[in-house]
Structure formats: structure tokens, C-alpha cells
Amino acid sequence: MTGKTHIIGGIAASLAFAQITNYEPIILLGAGVVGAVIPDICHGSSKIGRSLPLLSKLISGLFGHRTFTHSLLFLVLFAVLMHSFMPVEAISAGILVGMASHIVLDMATKRGVKLFFPFRWNVRFPITATTGGTSEYLVFAVLSLLCVYFGYGVFLPL
């Protein structure tokens, strides 16, 4: 998936999560967008990879793309770090929701992810989208509609 699809996925996931929690939706939303790009730190041409090129090159050299940073292990380690050092729970929750949305979206690509890293098992959905292709645009459109739906439920409750 491309960066914009990951970002809209992070927004949709954060808005959906805001409906079932008491966290401030704006904080969840901002943190969710940040979290949605973090797993691609392992890819030098990603939005975050271009912002932090040395870290991106180091992680990519150690692990490769869509391995450690796209795994449950990375998500759990990041959660422990966030819990230990982030005083605002809504920010931690939003970042983790965004990261999870990123991993789920990449599971919908032909390449999939190494969800159970360090095991080499590739995990992907039975139906996949081509990155940058028509199917990804359809995913983007559905996520955009979900943002409107969940956003209405969060910001304009009955």
C-alpha cells in the first residue's frame, strides 16, 4: 500500500477506536496518522524513511522490508516503550492503532508481512490488492467512506 492509503487507514482506525473509548478523538486521530507510517521506517523511500534516512537504512539493513517492523513483536515492543515513556495514554493508543492498521493493510498485498517475525512465515489475506493499482484505489475509497462514517459518529454524536 502507498503512504496515503496507510494514512487514511490510520485515520479510519483511529476514528473507529475513538467510538469505543473515552480518549480525546483529536489526539487519537493525530497519533493514529503518525502510527500509520511508523512500520515503513524499514523502507528508505517511504514518508518516514525519507524523514529519518539513517535510522531507515539501519533498520532496513538489519531486517529488510516488511519483516520486524510489520510484526506482532514490533507492535508489542512499541507498546511497552509507549507505556513506559509516554505520559498521555491517548497518544500511545492512537499510535498503536495506526501501526496495527498499517500492518493489516499490508497483509492485503500480494507480498504480505512477516507477522510472526522472527519466523519467516508470510501472512496475507486470500484476496489482495496491488500497490498503486486500481484495487488499492478501491481500498482507499472504502477507507475514506469509513472515515466519514466514523467521523460523523465521533464528532456529531446523537
Side-chain angles (χ1 to χ4, degrees):
M1 298 287 167
T2 59
K4 67 179 192 290
T5 303
H6 284 303
I7 289 170
I8 200 77
I11 293 170
S14 298
L15 289 171
F17 188 66
Q19 289 196 352
I20 61 170
T21 66
N22 292 323
Y23 294 129
E24 178 61 40
I26 294 295
I27 294 174
L28 277 177
L29 192 61
V33 168
V34 171
V37 298
I38 289 174
D40 271 345
I41 188 66
C42 62
H43 192 281
S45 63
S46 68
K47 291 179 185 304
I48 192 167
R50 289 189 311 267
S51 299
L52 302 166
L54 293 176
L55 183 59
S56 177
K57 191 171 279 202
L58 175 68
I59 292 171
S60 179
L62 288 172
F63 303 108
H65 184 48
R66 289 192 185 172
T67 59
F68 173 61
T69 63
H70 287 67
S71 70
L72 293 175
L73 176 62
F74 183 68
L75 200 58
V76 168
L77 290 174
F78 216 90
V80 169
L81 283 172
M82 296 296 288
H83 181 72
S84 299
F85 299 107
M86 177 55 65
V88 182
E89 277 187 47
I91 294 174
S92 297
I95 287 174
L96 294 171
V97 165
M99 289 172 66
S101 76
H102 181 112
I103 294 167
V104 168
L105 284 170
D106 276 353
M107 287 169 54
T109 63
K110 291 182 188 335
R111 188 169 172 200
V113 299
K114 303 283 191 260
L115 188 63
F116 300 106
F117 182 88
F119 298 106
R120 296 183 180 257
W121 306 326
N122 231 24
V123 178
R124 67 180 181 145
F125 293 122
I127 298 173
T128 59
T130 302
T131 301
T134 304
S135 53
E136 182 178 349
Y137 289 111
L138 180 60
V139 169
F140 184 88
V142 169
L143 289 170
S144 297
L145 291 173
L146 288 172
C147 285
V148 172
Y149 175 77
F150 291 127
Y152 180 80
V154 169
F155 295 111
L156 299 170
L158 296 175

